[in-house]
Amino acid sequence: MLTAAALPQSRSRPRETPNQRARRRWAAGRAHARCGRWCGTAGAGSSLPAGGGGFGAGCAAGAAAAAAPAPKEPRLPALPHFWKWRVKLQRPGNSILPTFVTTTFVIEAMAAANAQLRWKRMENLKEEEDDDSSTASDSDVLIRDNYERAEKRPILSVQKRGSPNPFEITDRVEMGQMASMFFNKVGVNLFYFCIIVYLYGDLAIYAAAVPFSLMQVTCSAAGNDSCGVEADTKYNDTDRCWGPLRRVDAYRIYLAIFTLLLGPFTFFDVQKTKYLQILTSLMRWIAFAVMIVLALVRIGHGQGEGHPPLADFSGVRNLFGVCVYSFMCQHSLPSLITPVSSKRHLTRLVFLDYVLILAFYGLLSFTAIFCFRGDSLMDMYTLNFARCDVVRLAAVRFFLGLFPVFTISTNFPIIAVTLRNNWKTLFHREGGTYPWVVDRVVFPTITLVPPVLVAFCTHDLESLVGITGAYAGTGIQYVIPAFLVYHCRRDTQLAFGCGVSNKHRSPFRHTFWVGFVLLWAFSCFIFVTANIVLSETKL
């Protein structure tokens, strides 16, 4: 328990013990050695860009914008396409274990970061009290201060604040802030590099998914505009779309329109997206429910086209990257966990959440592989329902076919602004400011141009999702949480001693689990790299 007696004392207080002196020196030395700065007091407005390394509430608010991307749309609609290899549910089920382990790692690191922030605030408070203290004796000052605080504070407040738990998660500490607290300078830079690459992959997937969906729906066969994607029809990019225009030309026209409409948001700040996100989430659930029901109805009427074998492991290589991308949530945990009022059964709730996610993925994927043939499943799963023989109602066909257009378009500006702020944080130096041209032109430009160029060159969502998930996604989902929990455990032991226990400590406490997660991450990296090399060899 962290009380006033456990904090380092000033010269006007009773002499501190050797253990207290060691903790005080460790805290001061570590703060300056690793980060070069501490935020003064909690709640102080920080002038750092989003994701900065300061440890106050103001810094945490900035880090939220830099390290908490919005939920990604292509996860569920794209996942059934990778089941065309008909791999058993065992592989995605196994991927849940390391994902759940790293989720508990992030929660433990959040609790440790909150304890250090709380300790620092109490240290600052005591330093201020020492500066304002009079020449009266120590005992008189302590008695008078305690009496005045007890008289001015409500009785219920005294009871609640009598013995706070230092590891209670009350401050939102984003992953960028935790990296600044527990990593050295090289580790912090690697963290931001990883999340920047991941966000670039996100934007490239978004920039390709919207024009691809529009192309598939509008470039219909035989001029039948109401049916969109025809059954048993395979298109090439060189096929005709409208008159002399090819399908790839239509795709690039849509990409240009998409960039011109949503690209300018990168140069400004996106705020107050609460209701937009609520509407987007509602549309997602409606679309997912409709797709599952339609697939079940089609299978129940004996119209299912899929006859999958028990297992076909030729798709395991790329499935690693897809599963990483599908189960990604570690970067959003601080924003999800901190507002929870009662965190007593937090680990159990998270475990139940992952079980429900696995069940939902299984339902969506298995209905897909039995409803459609493996060779006819499209990269964007929603496009399989833009067929007249699957859905007769034109409004439903267009809603599902254009579903990624509505939802992804709302998230693209948020992800772009997040990436731009991370670039600013990576190159920020304390006390420095950026020129207007660099701040308002250079950073937004380097944010927007690369993913648009990637989308211009390819709309292969299968490869984009697999590469993004296996490389940058593996770092955020596995590598970073493993190193965070390793360093936070060591720092907690040095700061608070062996007798203090983190109430949110992960059930996977042994160092073996850290090595297991890193080994799993390495396996994901190897499998996806092998998939890319073998695919290029076949070409």
Side-chain angles (χ1 to χ4, degrees), residues 79 81-83 85-92 95 314-326 466 524 527-528 531:
L79 184 63
H81 171 74
F82 298 94
W83 284 65
W85 296 285
R86 293 173 286 277
V87 181
K88 294 171 63 178
L89 188 62
Q90 178 183 2
R91 181 61 60 185
S95 67
S314 61
V316 172
R317 301 189 303 266
N318 204 37
L319 190 61
F320 268 95
V322 177
C323 288
V324 170
Y325 192 78
S326 299
C524 294
F527 270 99
V528 175
N531 178 62

Side-chain angles (χ1 to χ4, degrees), residues 92-103 478 508 513 516-517 520:
N94 289 342
S95 67
I96 283 225
L97 175 60
T99 303
F100 174 68
V101 171
T102 56
T103 300
Y478 298 135
F508 307 95
W513 291 105
F516 167 75
V517 169
W520 181 269

